[in-house]
Each structure stands twice: as C-alpha cells, then as structure tokens.
Amino acid sequence: MRAGRVAVDGARVRDAALRLADGAAVVLDGVAVVERGPRYFMLHKPAGCVCATSDGVHPTVLELVPEAERDGLHVVGRLDLDVTGLVLLTDDGEWSHRVTAPRRKCPKTYLAELAEPLAEAAAASLRAGVRLRGEERETRPAAVETVGDRQGRYHQVKRMVAAVGNRVLTLHRERVGPVDLDPSLAPGAWRSLTAEEVAGLAACGPPAVPSEGTSQGPS
Ligand code: URA
C-alpha cells in the first residue's frame, strides 16, 4: 500500500489502517481483488483416492478439484481408500465441524455389498448397536435395509459388519444428512453445493431411531 499499488473505489490509498466499506472495489496493481466467500463442494469419490490434503502414495480427492479451487479446502468426514461415494469439501472449518461433530449425530447412508447374506439376527444386532473392539460403548442404532440378496444399508460400517460375523466387499456412501450424492456426478466429478444443501447439512441432526426388527429406509 505504501508503494501506492492499491486503489479503493478508483482512488489510490496508502493508509493500511483504512477500513473498507461493504462492496468496496479494491484493485492491486491494476487487478481487481475479489473476496472469495466460503466454498462448499460435493464430490463423487472413486476407489483408490485418499481423503487427505496430501499423500505421498495415492492421489487425493483434492486433486480431483481444479487447482484454482483447491486452495484452503479440506475433506469433511473421511472415507477409506477403497470406499466410493459422497465426499464433502469446504474451506469453512466451522461448518465442517457442525457436520462432523459426533454429538450432532448427522446420519450417513451407505450401500454395502457383503460377503454373505445378512442374517436377520445380524441385522437386528446392527439395529440395536454393536460393541466394537477397543470401544467402550455400543454403536448407535443403525437403520438397516436389505435391498438385494447380499446387501445392507447402515452407518459405521466395516467394523460393525465384522462384529456380526460378516464382511464388507464394497462400500459406497450415498447420503450425508439430507444431501444425496448427485446421480449426475460420475466417479471423480464434483459440483458446488447449493445454498439449501449447505444450510441443510449445517442443521443436520440425528435420525429417527428405528424400532427393533422393523426394516428401515435410509436414515
Ligand atoms: N465406514 C467404514 O468402514 N469406512 C468408511 O469409509 C466409512 C464408513
């Protein structure tokens, strides 16, 4: 500023203490400086990408976003390397905390292919909550729906399925809170979240607890 490189609303300014009015047009070296608001994206994660900002071995989900958009983004709730589906990205730390804070219990819906048909007793255990090795408490009740011969739908997944004596072969996240993975997004593709989706995720609360033994839709 002291070098006279900055202009505000067409007038050169040299005072670094200047308070900008809302909507002030700031120009540095003749180029408009545009304040970028917070950014929110959904991405269709393909298998083989890691949910990290950098990784020495595998490509990251951030590398699927053009470089110009990548700066400052982080992943909101990771998926494992082999898991596909809905991943959220943002540069708004407060928002991502709201979406992921365990106490808010924002539900996630997964489509899983299992090694074995899901036994009714196993589904009942998942609905009731299972104790995972190394954990002090049971998992929260999961809504489980069998949608084919060998598939189930639930959250906190691979370990829960292992805890009831089965094995996840493939896992795909379809939904977080009120937001579905956009079916028009091919694996690796992304889009901005709508204002409604951003607000819906920020307000996301716990799912209705399924009653024992009742088949539930996605939570
Ligand atoms: N549950 C898992 O086991 N893996 C994921 O990536 C997400 C949920």
Side-chain angles (χ1 to χ4, degrees), residues 11-158:
R12 201 164 295 282
V13 289
R14 293 176 192 271
D15 176 8
L18 175 86
R19 295 191 77 86
L20 286 178
D22 274 352
V26 180
V27 171
L28 171 68
D29 292 338
V31 179
V33 177
V34 181
E35 192 187 5
R36 192 155 63 170
R39 291 163 300 148
Y40 308 91
F41 301 109
M42 72 159 72
L43 181 139
H44 186 163
K45 178 189 176 299
C49 271
V50 280
C51 284
T53 32
S54 66
D55 189 89
V57 181
H58 301 285
T60 71
V61 287
L62 281 170
E63 288 162 29
L64 296 167
V65 175
E67 223 168 334
E69 287 289 4
R70 214 177 286 166
D71 187 36
L73 291 183
H74 64 267
V75 180
V76 183
R78 291 158 185 244
L79 290 179
D80 296 338
L81 182 68
D82 59 335
V83 175
T84 60
L86 176 57
V87 163
L88 303 169
L89 302 171
T90 187
D91 56 0
D92 180 344
E94 202 176 309
W95 182 82
S96 75
H97 182 70
R98 285 178 80 91
V99 177
T100 55
R103 72 185 161 76
R104 297 185 72 95
K105 303 187 175 81
C106 181
K108 287 137 205 121
T109 303
Y110 296 90
L111 180 63
E113 186 185 358
L114 307 184
E116 305 293 335
L118 187 65
E120 194 38 55
S125 299
L126 294 174
R127 289 187 186 110
V130 289
R131 177 76 69 91
L132 302 177
R133 189 176 308 184
E135 303 290 340
E136 284 177 7
R137 294 203 195 124
E138 266 80 38
T139 56
R140 291 201 308 272
V144 179
E145 183 193 5
T146 301
V147 291
D149 267 350
R150 305 194 312 171
Q151 294 172 336
R153 220 180 251 199
Y154 41 83
H155 61 235
Q156 244 208 57
V157 190
K158 292 175 188 163

